[in-house]
Amino acid sequence: MKKIINKPENFVDETMTGILYAYGNKVTFLNGDKRILIKNTETKPGKVGIVTAGGSGHLPVFLGYVGEGMIDGCAIGNVFASPSATKMADMIRACDYGSGVLCLYGNYGGDNLNFEMATEEVEFEDIKTTMVRVKDDVASSSKENAEKRRGVAGMVYAFKIAGAAADNMMDLDGVTNVVKKALDNIRTMGVALTPCIVPEVGKPTFTIEDNQMEIGMGIHGEPGIEVGELKTADEIVDIMMEKIIGDIELNEGDEVSIMINGLGATPLEEQLICYKRVYEILEGKGVKIFMPHIGEFATSMEMSGLSITLFKLDEELKTLLRQPATTPFYTNYNK
Amino acid sequence: MKKIINKPENFVDETMTGILYAYGNKVTFLNGDKRILIKNTETKPGKVGIVTAGGSGHLPVFLGYVGEGMIDGCAIGNVFASPSATKMADMIRACDYGSGVLCLYGNYGGDNLNFEMATEEVEFEDIKTTMVRVKDDVASSSKENAEKRRGVAGMVYAFKIAGAAADNMMDLDGVTNVVKKALDNIRTMGVALTPCIVPEVGKPTFTIEDNQMEIGMGIHGEPGIEVGELKTADEIVDIMMEKIIGDIELNEGDEVSIMINGLGATPLEEQLICYKRVYEILEGKGVKIFMPHIGEFATSMEMSGLSITLFKLDEELKTLLRQPATTPFYTNYNK
């Protein structure tokens, strides 16, 4: 296991301490709890709170998006493991500014169950909550079973939209509805070339031959839809874009944002080469790209590969996407 | 070679096209030349131009810093190879806004030679230039032979300082001097865990055993000062910080900026774990950190490892570092 770490069992705590030391002007631990990160800046009274939760090992997701204009709190568990319902409930309480809290998170068993329990718990304290699950990974289930799809990089767009809507003082139902609308228009698909190693496990999450790739693989190594010989960038993008475009109505004149998300070890150069192809495909369809996002947004530590997210926009979503945000790992740089 | 690319010989051109498609509102090719990227936004007449050049394969260095508040132009060569003097001269001409051009680049043979020729060429056209070489890598040569040191991640701070000084309408000598002062206060050291592959070569740039690391290795695989068994994050940071701090006068009450720079494949979690240790070492010395930079700033494609840069600040340098900048891969997010 070739990692620059100390004791594997301290991986998450030390990462969290690093975040606090680096960004203590923006974020802080809730009551010193190294598994709950909340905003450390002033919040308008009555703003809807936006929270998330999930396993560690995906930075910048989720922690890196706690801050102005995105999410207010994030509870995290061990690597690839959900945090407890108790931690989630503590976080929800801390992020209720009087108008309720939207719980916005990826569609994974542990997170679903724990958020159900956490929201039930705070209900008795008269804290209103809504829950929206991100299910953007088109490779993880068929369109007919879209309810079973996993949440991946598309959640970064969801955080951005929710945060902007809440900043505009929309009420809880309003924020919830606009995020649902955004998610109806978000699709992601990924390809993995190499696995990653969970520090406390010490062995790769899966194996993949030296000349192979897996299209549609999940960010925890969940099986994809096609294992095969490594193809060219253009061929890989074509396969992914065909699947994405086949899942959403896209017409000439539409505007979309595109996120090319490196899974951890994939160079920016390769991401840009893939973006070039995405651009050409969309240009051929008369679809314009607004505010592309290229870089690492939702990773699996040192996994090699990337995902493409398409986010179809209307005027409201464009305005919300464009609105300022400043978090440790997201700045609205494309204004 | 496990890369998401098309033909290796098109690697650089396709990366450049991706940049143009993504950030065409900020940057453009000079006269359609895919090896010269210049700013695409309005420049105040009489501003000093800031340019750089070097080999491809280090994104976000160098191309990602062309934009508002940093550099005005960048000429690039093939992977890890210098661009020609002719391209550099073309770029210098394009980035002269009437007050001369600072050529700010890493201390490598090809880049040195070609910038010498390029500046001589434009001299006949009455374009004033100055040259400043970045030599921040303390592992690449002894303190007595600091002139021979290579330029690595510290150049990102140099771009930021130069860009801000030029934006403040300092003249060419003023910008040159403030960058020299900044560089006198910048030290970097790196550690590599795995090599990278130059696409057209198809084989790793060097070999390193599965349980080994190389401290002080250069970003092109130049030999370091110590090859040994992989140590813990704290041990690695301690070695690097001892070398860095031994190279610069650092006193209680001083302020520094710290850059933790992933070389390509190293997860943000590991970078934060290292940042934690750096913070603790400096705290123990009564040294405060201002505007930490954590992420990938100067990479070697998929190389695994990281570097630490220490930038000792005074009030002038703090003000310049804090000043706004907006480029495709740098936004002054830590205001």
Side-chain angles (χ1 to χ4, degrees), chain B residues 154-220:
Chain B
M155 79 175 65
V156 178
Y157 281 134
F159 293 157
K160 179 69 189 70
I161 296 300
D167 268 358
N168 293 346
M169 302 307 281
M170 263 193 187
D171 66 12
L172 182 59
D173 284 344
V175 174
T176 305
N177 287 334
V178 78
V179 167
K180 282 183 180 167
K181 178 174 83 172
L183 287 166
D184 283 344
N185 287 290
I186 292 173
R187 300 290 186 284
T188 299
M189 190 156 162
V191 59
L193 268 53
T194 67
C196 62
I197 295 177
V198 175
E200 289 199 72
V201 176
K203 279 183 298 197
T205 45
F206 59 93
T207 54
I208 186 163
E209 297 296 318
D210 265 0
N211 61 343
Q212 302 268 301
M213 61 171 189
E214 183 153 353
I215 289 189
M217 168 158 288
I219 54 173
H220 308 99

Side-chain angles (χ1 to χ4, degrees), chain A residues 218-234:
Chain A
I219 54 173
H220 309 99
E222 298 94 340
I225 52 173
E226 187 186 326
V227 186
E229 215 167 297
L230 183 59
K231 292 181 163 63
T232 66
D234 286 355

